[in-house]
Amino acid sequence: CGAPPPPPSGKTDTRALLSAVEAHLADLPDPVDLGAGRLDDSPVTEAVVLAMQAVLRKPVVPRTSFFDQGGDSLGAARVLALLRKALGIPLDMSDFVAAPNVLGLAQLLQSRPGATAAAEAALAALPGQRGTGGGGLARGLLSGSAAG
């Protein structure tokens, strides 16, 4: 499955793009198996994990670059769009390039004013309970109910 075709204007239809990602979240695996790369349990880190999982459609390795896990520049733009929508924190591609893994991007976000509170609110507004399944959490992250 690919991204929806571009509209006649040639510009990226971000709503259609987000809808396409959301349409495939049912197959999303449960949250990451952290293995040796333990993560903190901060809400910002959880939001980054969910966004990367939603785009890659598989568990993520916290210390491994998004690009080394099969992501590409379009996928990185999707991760950024999900995080911007869910947290209301400005992010651009240079942020992602500077911190292309879960831990780096979470650390960068945690340095931004209001990120932790925004992540807590976004995760609290998710359907179901935190940690009960990647699909539901990612769908809630996509809905942007806390930052919409």
Side-chain angles (χ1 to χ4, degrees), residues 88-131:
I89 305 288
L91 289 166
D92 60 39
M93 191 58 77
S94 66
D95 294 322
F96 199 94
V97 170
N101 63 35
V102 169
L103 298 177
L105 195 53
Q107 184 177 17
L108 184 144
L109 278 167
Q110 287 170 342
S111 72
R112 306 264 171 103
T116 299
E120 287 172 350
L123 293 170
L126 295 177
Q129 296 179 347
R130 286 172 65 177

Short mmCIF file of all heavy atoms in Angstrom, two decimals, residues 88-131:
data_model
loop_
_atom_site.label_atom_id
_atom_site.label_comp_id
_atom_site.label_asym_id
_atom_site.label_seq_id
_atom_site.Cartn_x
_atom_site.Cartn_y
_atom_site.Cartn_z
N GLY A 88 1.46 19.50 19.56
CA GLY A 88 1.40 20.94 19.30
C GLY A 88 2.75 21.62 19.44
O GLY A 88 2.82 22.82 19.68
N ILE A 89 3.82 20.86 19.27
CA ILE A 89 5.18 21.39 19.38
C ILE A 89 5.76 21.50 17.97
O ILE A 89 5.75 20.52 17.22
CB ILE A 89 6.08 20.46 20.23
CG1 ILE A 89 5.48 20.20 21.60
CG2 ILE A 89 7.51 20.99 20.31
CD1 ILE A 89 5.50 21.34 22.55
N PRO A 90 6.27 22.68 17.59
CA PRO A 90 6.86 22.80 16.24
C PRO A 90 8.09 21.90 16.08
O PRO A 90 8.96 21.87 16.94
CB PRO A 90 7.26 24.28 16.14
CG PRO A 90 6.73 24.95 17.35
CD PRO A 90 6.33 23.91 18.34
N LEU A 91 8.11 21.17 14.99
CA LEU A 91 9.24 20.30 14.64
C LEU A 91 9.44 20.41 13.14
O LEU A 91 8.48 20.56 12.39
CB LEU A 91 8.92 18.83 14.96
CG LEU A 91 8.85 18.42 16.41
CD1 LEU A 91 8.18 17.06 16.53
CD2 LEU A 91 10.23 18.38 17.01
N ASP A 92 10.70 20.31 12.71
CA ASP A 92 10.95 20.28 11.27
C ASP A 92 11.96 19.19 10.95
O ASP A 92 12.48 18.52 11.85
CB ASP A 92 11.37 21.65 10.74
CG ASP A 92 12.64 22.18 11.38
OD1 ASP A 92 13.57 21.39 11.64
OD2 ASP A 92 12.70 23.40 11.62
N MET A 93 12.20 18.99 9.68
CA MET A 93 13.07 17.90 9.26
C MET A 93 14.48 18.02 9.83
O MET A 93 15.10 17.00 10.12
CB MET A 93 13.11 17.82 7.73
CG MET A 93 13.76 16.56 7.20
SD MET A 93 13.02 15.01 7.77
CE MET A 93 11.58 14.93 6.74
N SER A 94 14.98 19.23 10.04
CA SER A 94 16.32 19.36 10.62
C SER A 94 16.36 18.79 12.04
O SER A 94 17.38 18.25 12.46
CB SER A 94 16.79 20.81 10.60
OG SER A 94 15.99 21.62 11.45
N ASP A 95 15.24 18.89 12.77
CA ASP A 95 15.17 18.28 14.10
C ASP A 95 15.29 16.77 13.98
O ASP A 95 16.00 16.12 14.75
CB ASP A 95 13.83 18.62 14.79
CG ASP A 95 13.69 20.10 15.11
OD1 ASP A 95 14.70 20.73 15.49
OD2 ASP A 95 12.57 20.63 14.98
N PHE A 96 14.58 16.21 13.01
CA PHE A 96 14.59 14.75 12.83
C PHE A 96 15.98 14.27 12.40
O PHE A 96 16.45 13.25 12.89
CB PHE A 96 13.54 14.34 11.82
CG PHE A 96 13.17 12.88 11.91
CD1 PHE A 96 12.10 12.47 12.66
CD2 PHE A 96 13.92 11.92 11.24
CE1 PHE A 96 11.76 11.14 12.76
CE2 PHE A 96 13.60 10.58 11.33
CZ PHE A 96 12.52 10.19 12.09
N VAL A 97 16.60 15.00 11.51
CA VAL A 97 17.94 14.60 11.04
C VAL A 97 18.95 14.67 12.19
O VAL A 97 19.82 13.80 12.31
CB VAL A 97 18.38 15.49 9.85
CG1 VAL A 97 19.85 15.27 9.50
CG2 VAL A 97 17.50 15.20 8.65
N ALA A 98 18.80 15.65 13.07
CA ALA A 98 19.70 15.78 14.22
C ALA A 98 19.47 14.68 15.25
O ALA A 98 20.39 14.32 15.99
CB ALA A 98 19.53 17.15 14.87
N ALA A 99 18.26 14.15 15.30
CA ALA A 99 17.91 13.14 16.31
C ALA A 99 16.98 12.10 15.68
O ALA A 99 15.79 12.10 15.93
CB ALA A 99 17.24 13.83 17.49
N PRO A 100 17.53 11.19 14.85
CA PRO A 100 16.67 10.30 14.07
C PRO A 100 16.24 9.00 14.76
O PRO A 100 15.72 8.11 14.11
CB PRO A 100 17.54 9.99 12.85
CG PRO A 100 18.93 10.00 13.40
CD PRO A 100 18.92 11.11 14.44
N ASN A 101 16.46 8.89 16.07
CA ASN A 101 15.99 7.69 16.76
C ASN A 101 15.07 8.08 17.91
O ASN A 101 14.92 9.26 18.23
CB ASN A 101 17.16 6.81 17.23
CG ASN A 101 18.05 7.48 18.26
OD1 ASN A 101 17.59 8.25 19.10
ND2 ASN A 101 19.34 7.19 18.20
N VAL A 102 14.43 7.10 18.52
CA VAL A 102 13.46 7.36 19.59
C VAL A 102 14.09 8.18 20.70
O VAL A 102 13.54 9.21 21.12
CB VAL A 102 12.89 6.04 20.16
CG1 VAL A 102 12.10 6.29 21.43
CG2 VAL A 102 12.03 5.34 19.12
N LEU A 103 15.23 7.73 21.20
CA LEU A 103 15.84 8.40 22.34
C LEU A 103 16.26 9.82 22.02
O LEU A 103 16.03 10.74 22.81
CB LEU A 103 17.03 7.59 22.86
CG LEU A 103 16.68 6.19 23.37
CD1 LEU A 103 17.94 5.45 23.79
CD2 LEU A 103 15.70 6.26 24.52
N GLY A 104 16.86 10.03 20.86
CA GLY A 104 17.31 11.36 20.48
C GLY A 104 16.16 12.33 20.27
O GLY A 104 16.19 13.47 20.75
N LEU A 105 15.12 11.87 19.57
CA LEU A 105 13.98 12.75 19.30
C LEU A 105 13.21 13.04 20.59
O LEU A 105 12.77 14.18 20.81
CB LEU A 105 13.07 12.12 18.25
CG LEU A 105 12.05 13.03 17.59
CD1 LEU A 105 12.69 14.29 17.02
CD2 LEU A 105 11.30 12.28 16.51
N ALA A 106 13.09 12.04 21.46
CA ALA A 106 12.42 12.28 22.75
C ALA A 106 13.20 13.29 23.58
O ALA A 106 12.61 14.20 24.19
CB ALA A 106 12.26 10.97 23.51
N GLN A 107 14.51 13.16 23.60
CA GLN A 107 15.34 14.11 24.36
C GLN A 107 15.20 15.52 23.79
O GLN A 107 15.06 16.49 24.53
CB GLN A 107 16.80 13.66 24.33
CG GLN A 107 17.72 14.54 25.16
CD GLN A 107 19.15 14.03 25.16
OE1 GLN A 107 19.54 13.21 24.32
NE2 GLN A 107 19.93 14.48 26.11
N LEU A 108 15.21 15.64 22.47
CA LEU A 108 15.04 16.95 21.84
C LEU A 108 13.68 17.54 22.21
O LEU A 108 13.58 18.71 22.58
CB LEU A 108 15.16 16.79 20.32
CG LEU A 108 15.10 18.08 19.52
CD1 LEU A 108 16.04 17.99 18.34
CD2 LEU A 108 13.71 18.38 19.04
N LEU A 109 12.63 16.73 22.13
CA LEU A 109 11.30 17.22 22.47
C LEU A 109 11.19 17.62 23.94
O LEU A 109 10.56 18.62 24.27
CB LEU A 109 10.25 16.16 22.14
CG LEU A 109 9.81 16.10 20.69
CD1 LEU A 109 9.04 14.83 20.41
CD2 LEU A 109 8.99 17.32 20.33
N GLN A 110 11.80 16.83 24.82
CA GLN A 110 11.72 17.12 26.25
C GLN A 110 12.38 18.45 26.59
O GLN A 110 12.06 19.05 27.61
CB GLN A 110 12.32 15.98 27.07
CG GLN A 110 11.42 14.77 27.09
CD GLN A 110 12.06 13.53 27.67
OE1 GLN A 110 13.28 13.44 27.79
NE2 GLN A 110 11.25 12.56 28.03
N SER A 111 13.25 18.93 25.73
CA SER A 111 13.89 20.23 25.98
C SER A 111 13.00 21.39 25.58
O SER A 111 13.31 22.54 25.86
CB SER A 111 15.23 20.31 25.22
OG SER A 111 15.00 20.44 23.82
N ARG A 112 11.89 21.10 24.90
CA ARG A 112 10.97 22.15 24.45
C ARG A 112 9.93 22.42 25.53
O ARG A 112 9.35 21.48 26.10
CB ARG A 112 10.26 21.72 23.16
CG ARG A 112 11.20 21.30 22.04
CD ARG A 112 11.47 22.44 21.08
NE ARG A 112 12.52 22.15 20.14
CZ ARG A 112 12.32 21.82 18.88
NH1 ARG A 112 11.11 21.73 18.39
NH2 ARG A 112 13.35 21.60 18.09
N PRO A 113 9.67 23.69 25.81
CA PRO A 113 8.67 24.03 26.83
C PRO A 113 7.30 23.42 26.50
O PRO A 113 6.83 23.50 25.37
CB PRO A 113 8.60 25.56 26.78
CG PRO A 113 9.87 25.99 26.12
CD PRO A 113 10.27 24.87 25.20
N GLY A 114 6.71 22.80 27.49
CA GLY A 114 5.36 22.27 27.36
C GLY A 114 5.26 20.89 26.75
O GLY A 114 4.16 20.34 26.68
N ALA A 115 6.37 20.31 26.30
CA ALA A 115 6.30 19.02 25.61
C ALA A 115 5.80 17.91 26.53
O ALA A 115 4.96 17.10 26.13
CB ALA A 115 7.65 18.65 25.02
N THR A 116 6.32 17.86 27.75
CA THR A 116 5.92 16.79 28.66
C THR A 116 4.44 16.88 29.00
O THR A 116 3.71 15.89 28.95
CB THR A 116 6.79 16.80 29.93
OG1 THR A 116 8.16 16.59 29.54
CG2 THR A 116 6.38 15.70 30.89
N ALA A 117 3.98 18.07 29.32
CA ALA A 117 2.55 18.25 29.64
C ALA A 117 1.68 17.92 28.43
O ALA A 117 0.62 17.28 28.58
CB ALA A 117 2.30 19.67 30.11
N ALA A 118 2.11 18.32 27.24
CA ALA A 118 1.33 18.03 26.03
C ALA A 118 1.27 16.52 25.77
O ALA A 118 0.23 15.99 25.41
CB ALA A 118 1.94 18.75 24.82
N ALA A 119 2.40 15.84 25.98
CA ALA A 119 2.43 14.38 25.78
C ALA A 119 1.55 13.68 26.82
O ALA A 119 0.82 12.75 26.49
CB ALA A 119 3.86 13.86 25.84
N GLU A 120 1.61 14.14 28.05
CA GLU A 120 0.76 13.56 29.10
C GLU A 120 -0.71 13.72 28.73
O GLU A 120 -1.50 12.78 28.85
CB GLU A 120 1.03 14.21 30.45
CG GLU A 120 2.34 13.80 31.08
CD GLU A 120 2.70 14.59 32.32
OE1 GLU A 120 2.03 15.62 32.62
OE2 GLU A 120 3.66 14.20 32.99
N ALA A 121 -1.09 14.90 28.28
CA ALA A 121 -2.48 15.16 27.91
C ALA A 121 -2.89 14.31 26.70
O ALA A 121 -3.99 13.75 26.67
CB ALA A 121 -2.68 16.65 27.60
N ALA A 122 -2.01 14.22 25.70
CA ALA A 122 -2.32 13.43 24.51
C ALA A 122 -2.50 11.95 24.86
O ALA A 122 -3.43 11.31 24.39
CB ALA A 122 -1.23 13.60 23.46
N LEU A 123 -1.61 11.44 25.69
CA LEU A 123 -1.69 10.03 26.06
C LEU A 123 -2.88 9.75 26.97
O LEU A 123 -3.53 8.71 26.86
CB LEU A 123 -0.39 9.57 26.71
CG LEU A 123 0.83 9.55 25.78
CD1 LEU A 123 2.11 9.34 26.56
CD2 LEU A 123 0.67 8.51 24.69
N ALA A 124 -3.20 10.69 27.86
CA ALA A 124 -4.34 10.52 28.76
C ALA A 124 -5.65 10.52 27.99
O ALA A 124 -6.63 9.89 28.40
CB ALA A 124 -4.36 11.62 29.81
N ALA A 125 -5.68 11.20 26.86
CA ALA A 125 -6.91 11.30 26.05
C ALA A 125 -7.09 10.12 25.11
O ALA A 125 -8.09 10.04 24.41
CB ALA A 125 -6.89 12.60 25.25
N LEU A 126 -6.11 9.21 25.08
CA LEU A 126 -6.20 8.07 24.16
C LEU A 126 -7.32 7.13 24.57
O LEU A 126 -7.60 6.96 25.74
CB LEU A 126 -4.88 7.30 24.16
CG LEU A 126 -3.67 8.03 23.62
CD1 LEU A 126 -2.43 7.18 23.75
CD2 LEU A 126 -3.88 8.43 22.18
N PRO A 127 -7.94 6.48 23.58
CA PRO A 127 -8.94 5.48 23.92
C PRO A 127 -8.27 4.29 24.60
O PRO A 127 -7.17 3.92 24.24
CB PRO A 127 -9.52 5.07 22.56
CG PRO A 127 -8.52 5.51 21.55
CD PRO A 127 -7.73 6.63 22.16
N GLY A 128 -8.92 3.72 25.58
CA GLY A 128 -8.34 2.59 26.30
C GLY A 128 -7.27 3.05 27.26
O GLY A 128 -7.08 4.25 27.49
N GLN A 129 -6.54 2.10 27.81
CA GLN A 129 -5.50 2.42 28.77
C GLN A 129 -4.15 2.43 28.11
O GLN A 129 -3.90 1.68 27.17
CB GLN A 129 -5.51 1.41 29.91
CG GLN A 129 -6.79 1.45 30.71
CD GLN A 129 -6.77 0.41 31.81
OE1 GLN A 129 -5.93 -0.48 31.84
NE2 GLN A 129 -7.71 0.52 32.72
N ARG A 130 -3.25 3.25 28.63
CA ARG A 130 -1.89 3.30 28.10
C ARG A 130 -1.26 1.92 28.20
O ARG A 130 -1.42 1.21 29.17
CB ARG A 130 -1.05 4.30 28.89
CG ARG A 130 -1.40 5.71 28.57
CD ARG A 130 -0.73 6.67 29.47
NE ARG A 130 0.72 6.64 29.29
CZ ARG A 130 1.53 7.44 29.95
NH1 ARG A 130 1.07 8.31 30.80
NH2 ARG A 130 2.83 7.37 29.76
N GLY A 131 -0.49 1.58 27.16
CA GLY A 131 0.26 0.34 27.17
C GLY A 131 -0.56 -0.90 26.86
O GLY A 131 -0.08 -2.00 26.97
#
